[in-house]
Amino acid sequence: MKKIFSLFEFSTDVNYRIEVLAGITVAMALVPEALAFAIIAGLSPLTGLYAAFVVGLVAAVMGGRPGMISGATGAIAVIIISLALSHGPEYVFATVVLAGIFQLIAGALKLGKLMRLVPHSVIFGFVNGLAIIIFMSQLNEFKNPAGEWLTGPALYILLGLVLMTMLIIWGLPKITTALPPSLAAILIIFGIVTFFGIDTRTVGDIASIQGGFPPFHIPQVPFTMATFMLILPYAAIMAAVGLIESLLTLNIIDEITETRGRSNKEAIAQGTANVMSGFFSGMGGCAMLGQSLINVSSGSRTRISGIVAALMLLVFIMFGAGVIELLPMAALTGLMIMVAIGTFEWASLKTFNKMPKSDIIVMVLVTLVTVILHNLALAVIIGVIIAALVFAWDNAKRIRARKRWDEDGAKHYEIYGPLFFGSVSVFNDKFDVLNDPDDVVINFKESRVVDMSAIEALNKLTERYHKVGKRVHLTHLSKDCRKLLRNADAIIEVNIVEDPTYKLVVDAV
């Protein structure tokens, strides 16, 4: 019987100790982020923790990428701020459910394969922008509640603890791999702060994480068309942002682990997770690149760590709030700075003199949009559009026509490159209608008729030849090109004269 979840594939070589320890590390790092994102969105801190638990657990069990971590994210928080402030949390929960339904539909329609259209330059820009955001968000820890930069002993203590955390994470793997370096760093810094009674900011200073099991309830909103139209745009944006961020994270973890995830399965898992999050008082979420990198760098390669992280988060909420609230933020800040350093594609800086200028522009633009607007979906969409336009422009310039005459006096145009809306103008310039002989053969053996603009170009070209009493023959049209011409027959008439001498497969006038 085919195994559904690799979690239950006990025949594989799984290091359960590493998986469990990685999950505990991720759970500790999830707490302050979930709290911060909920507060940013204007919601109760527990809504962020509940979302991290529900989304993390469901995505870990059902997702298409073992080792990937999901939870409440800043990208989702930014989307729902205005809705939360104007209409309250119940409308947010309804929005999360609707967004999950959209993601389920996307997964059922197998739209995950569209991520193949995302160029590497866009992925570089996305990753670099996210790394900068992660780093910049940690700078808030160096400010006091009034928003002013720390000075004096408070700054030196925090800076020392952060640097010590980073040093442990960097140096411990060179000594031993018995314990994930991130978890070791958190525990060591926690021990130092507790033993010496160091006065520094802790998780509890952000908000209390004490709570119970996520309560199930149907969002208390009017089930009317007005409500639907109100939450629809928020849900659509949330679904798009969540899927884009999740599938890009999946691709990045694929590269790191040299394995391949399943994008459509991940889309269904994210949709299911958000639907359940909305019904269990969560703010929704998606895959988290930073936490996923912590997990993978800790040695995890299966679903176990994600499940452990989610369950440990629930344990923290229900039973361990008092201990977790004592964790020094300096340790978690140092951990996230190391994640930012590891996330940034430093190799991309070496490509500035090697990659095409268009790819460099796309990469930098995606990075800037990500950093400035914190809108990951918009950054990726802009990058894909620009990359597509550059690709179209480059292909438009590459269309060629080699000319020759045969023994019967007919002139042959052998076309190279795709004929589409971008190359139509260059294509038309290749022909000398007035000076060509009575028979003209256009050979598409090395070309393709791609779209309606191409069909219209053929229509106008054959009309020009027809007006001066000359005949045009199309040869070596592929099956898809002939089908395209037949489908467009009701709209555009392609004036082609069939001549048996050339043994052509064409449509006659």
Side-chain angles (χ1 to χ4, degrees):
M1 181 177 178
K2 184 179 178 181
K3 296 292 189 298
I4 299 176
F5 302 128
S6 60
L7 166 66
F8 305 119
E9 183 61 81
F10 293 112
S11 61
T12 59
D13 185 17
V14 178
N15 190 325
Y16 291 97
R17 179 179 60 83
I18 291 295
E19 296 292 334
V20 172
L21 293 177
I24 294 173
T25 305
V26 170
M28 290 182 178
L30 277 171
V31 172
E33 288 200 357
L35 293 175
F37 295 148
I39 293 171
I40 288 172
L43 298 169
S44 164
L46 280 176
T47 61
L49 292 171
Y50 288 156
F53 163 65
V54 175
V55 174
L57 180 62
V58 175
V61 174
M62 296 181 57
R65 170 68 269 172
M68 197 164 77
I69 302 298
S70 297
T73 62
I76 299 299
V78 171
I79 294 170
I80 59 177
I81 289 176
S82 60
L83 180 65
L85 294 178
S86 60
H87 290 82
E90 294 297 329
Y91 281 83
V92 171
F93 300 149
T95 301
V96 172
V97 172
L98 183 58
I101 293 173
F102 287 154
Q103 291 175 331
L104 283 170
I105 294 173
L109 296 177
K110 301 187 182 302
L111 298 183
K113 60 186 177 184
L114 294 179
M115 292 308 296
R116 301 172 189 169
L117 302 178
V118 179
H120 218 66
S121 56
V122 174
I123 294 178
F124 272 167
F126 166 82
V127 171
N128 291 346
L130 199 56
I132 294 172
I133 289 176
I134 292 173
F135 175 78
M136 292 178 63
S137 66
Q138 303 312 306
L139 297 181
N140 292 327
E141 295 303 320
F142 293 87
K143 297 179 180 179
N144 59 28
E148 300 172 343
W149 292 102
L150 296 176
T151 59
L155 174 62
Y156 302 142
I157 291 174
L158 176 61
L159 194 58
L161 292 174
V162 168
L163 292 176
M164 188 180 299
T165 302
M166 296 172 64
L167 182 63
I168 294 171
I169 294 174
W170 172 78
L172 186 62
K174 303 178 186 301
I175 301 173
T176 178
T177 57
L179 193 67
S182 300
L183 178 59
I186 293 174
L187 294 178
I188 291 172
I189 299 301
F190 176 66
I192 291 174
V193 169
T194 303
F195 182 79
F196 291 101
I198 298 174
D199 184 18
T200 187
R201 194 178 188 209
T202 64
V203 171
D205 294 328
I206 300 177
S208 173
I209 68 169
Q210 182 66 50
F213 191 86
F216 173 83
H217 83 294
I218 298 174
Q220 301 300 305
V221 298
F223 289 88
T224 63
M225 183 57 67
T227 300
F228 177 77
M229 296 306 297
L230 171 66
I231 66 175
L232 177 61
Y234 294 99
I237 296 172
M238 183 185 295
V241 169
L243 281 183
I244 289 174
E245 189 165 350
S246 298
L247 297 182
L248 281 179
T249 300
L250 182 146
N251 287 345
I252 293 166
I253 302 301
D254 279 356
E255 291 185 8
I256 294 174
T257 60
E258 297 182 351
T259 57
R260 185 171 181 177
R262 298 168 59 185
S263 55
N264 293 316
K265 185 177 181 181
E266 184 63 35
I268 291 176
Q270 292 291 331
T272 305
N274 277 307
V275 169
M276 293 187 66
S277 177
F279 284 125
F280 281 93
S281 308
M283 59 177 280
C286 61
M288 308 176 74
L289 179 57
Q291 304 295 344
S292 298
L293 289 174
I294 292 175
N295 190 44
V296 172
S297 64
S298 297
S300 171
R301 291 295 183 272
T302 73
R303 302 175 189 275
I304 297 175
S305 59
I307 295 173
V308 169
L311 294 177
M312 286 304 300
L313 196 59
L314 181 62
V315 171
F316 296 161
I317 295 171
M318 298 181 67
F319 309 108
V323 176
I324 298 302
E325 288 174 6
L326 295 177
L327 288 179
M329 286 301 300
L332 299 174
T333 298
L335 169 60
M336 294 310 296
I337 290 177
M338 289 300 289
V339 168
I341 294 173
T343 301
F344 195 90
E345 286 283 357
W346 299 100
S348 64
L349 301 179
K350 301 177 182 179
T351 63
F352 272 65
N353 295 327
K354 301 176 182 178
M355 290 174 62
K357 291 182 179 179
S358 58
D359 285 344
I360 299 298
I361 292 173
V362 169
M363 182 174 67
V364 173
L365 183 61
V366 171
T367 299
L368 291 176
V369 173
T370 302
V371 172
I372 296 173
L373 299 182
H374 287 214
N375 191 326
L376 304 178
L378 179 62
V380 172
I381 290 171
I382 289 175
V384 170
I385 291 175
I386 294 177
L389 292 175
V390 170
F391 176 80
W393 175 257
D394 288 342
N395 277 275
K397 295 186 297 182
R398 288 174 183 162
I399 194 166
R400 297 287 185 269
R402 188 169 64 185
K403 305 165 189 176
R404 67 178 179 85
W405 283 260
D406 62 20
E407 63 276 7
D408 296 323
K411 186 175 181 179
H412 292 248
Y413 288 88
E414 296 176 350
I415 309 300
Y416 296 84
L419 180 58
F420 67 110
F421 67 90
S423 60
V424 163
S425 178
V426 178
F427 173 78
N428 287 329
D429 293 338
K430 303 294 182 184
F431 299 91
D432 187 1
V433 176
L434 295 179
N435 297 317
D436 278 347
D438 291 341
D439 285 304
V440 174
V441 180
I442 305 177
N443 189 331
F444 282 91
K445 185 176 182 180
E446 303 295 335
S447 180
R448 288 292 183 274
V449 178
V450 176
D451 58 11
M452 183 163 289
S453 296
I455 298 174
E456 177 63 18
L458 289 176
N459 184 50
K460 290 183 177 179
L461 181 63
T462 53
E463 281 184 350
R464 287 166 59 196
Y465 277 107
H466 184 68
K467 287 179 181 178
V468 294
K470 300 176 181 180
R471 294 175 296 178
V472 178
H473 315 272
L474 303 185
T475 66
H476 293 106
L477 283 171
S478 63
K479 291 182 179 180
D480 56 333
C481 296
R482 294 199 300 272
K483 181 179 179 181
L484 190 63
L485 290 171
R486 286 195 298 271
N487 291 343
D489 185 59
I491 305 173
I492 299 173
E493 181 182 2
V494 180
N495 298 309
I496 305 170
V497 178
E498 183 176 10
D499 187 342
T501 303
Y502 296 101
K503 295 184 169 84
L504 307 179
V505 183
V506 296
D507 297 324
V509 175

